[in-house]
Amino acid sequence: DVDGGEVDVLLGSRLTLERWKPQILLEVSPHLWSHDAAAQMRDLLGESEYKIRSLLGAPVIDLDQYLHDLCKRRTSGVIHLS
């Protein structure tokens, strides 16, 4: 549980993610992030080959909108990266 440090965790594990491509369940708390962290998350996931889905399996088509909605509600969400 990293409470706002999700971007740092993903950045720190970038080589492992690129090499092994594990499936990931990630709780994201964008209301705890700086603007730069939100942009880094978007860029990192956009560059990856991961498909982004909600915990229920629905594709997250617009990551910016998904993160914005979570921020607006000041809540966290879980995404599945596969």
Side-chain angles (χ1 to χ4, degrees):
D1 191 8
V2 294
D3 288 332
E6 299 89 350
V7 173
D8 291 332
V9 169
L10 288 176
L11 287 172
S13 60
R14 193 174 205 160
L15 293 176
T16 299
L17 298 176
E18 289 172 2
R19 181 173 181 186
W20 299 105
K21 299 193 183 7
Q23 290 192 37
I24 302 168
L25 286 178
L26 179 67
E27 180 182 16
V28 292
S29 305
H31 60 282
L32 299 175
W33 300 348
S34 67
H35 178 71
D36 289 342
Q40 285 179 310
M41 174 67 82
R42 183 180 56 249
D43 293 346
L44 180 64
L45 293 178
E47 293 169 2
S48 76
E49 295 178 17
Y50 278 102
K51 292 184 178 90
I52 306 168
R53 300 188 176 279
S54 72
L55 186 58
L56 299 175
V60 175
I61 305 294
D62 187 339
L63 182 61
D64 282 331
Q65 186 63 49
Y66 181 80
L67 297 174
H68 176 75
D69 290 346
L70 292 176
C71 277
K72 209 163 133 180
R73 294 191 311 258
R74 299 196 51 78
T75 189
S76 299
V78 177
I79 56 175
H80 178 218
L81 307 174
S82 62

